[in-house]
Amino acid sequence: MAAAAVAAAALAGCGGGPVKAGTAAIVDDDRIELSTLDRAVQDWQREFRADERANLIRQRLGSDQLWDSDLREALDWLVKFRVAGEVSERNGLPVSEGQVDEVVAALDRQAGAASATRAYGLPARYTRDLARFFAVQTLAAQRFAGNAQPGSPQSAAAQEQTKNLFVTAAKGMRITVNPRFGGFDPAQVGLTPVAFTLSATESGIR
């Protein structure tokens, strides 16, 4: 939610059946393939090593302490992007390409949009997806906050209401995650830790 503040300046379900082999997650009828996830992480690792600014931003974010796997971090974002799309559609919060451009420009002024995207664990080609996610957050918060000043109780309440929009949308979606990456908790709008058991093997995924 803190990152949405950058966008604000510019813009002024867990259920489901088992996933098929080769699938990282299924969000409603949208399948996130393992090959897509693997390629994203491989590209990110190559780009991130060469991007000193992204390394510095990531240190400030503390992402290395929050995630035990680059694949899980990337998959979490790919699922979140789809939840944000549902929030936008359900609540009449359409995001235009121009608004995405404004968020990208705001990120560029801060530390570089591509570097910011890499700091979050994704290759630069997902920059507009990340910007669109922030734009949905910002539009929702603006709707609830009205003319409230940043830091005011009304603004804080708007942030909480925005969070609840995402939770409600996630609960209404069919989101199934390959067990090798954990599960999905709609209350947190994110992946849960991997459950390690003696019987938890890849062969159990259909």
Side-chain angles (χ1 to χ4, degrees), residues 145-156:
N147 296 321
Q149 293 297 314
S152 67
Q154 294 88 346
S155 179

Side-chain angles (χ1 to χ4, degrees), residues 40-48 58 70 118 121-123:
V41 171
Q42 289 173 10
D43 290 345
W44 170 75
Q45 290 172 339
R46 184 185 67 255
E47 294 177 17
F48 184 72
R58 189 171 175 85
D70 295 339
R118 293 176 186 128
L122 293 169

Side-chain angles (χ1 to χ4, degrees), residues 14 38 47 57 65 90 98 116 122 127 134 140 154 160 165 179:
C14 189
D38 286 338
E47 294 177 17
I57 299 171
Q65 286 71 49
R90 281 191 179 197
L122 293 169
T127 295
F134 290 152
Q154 294 88 346
E160 186 64 24
L165 280 189

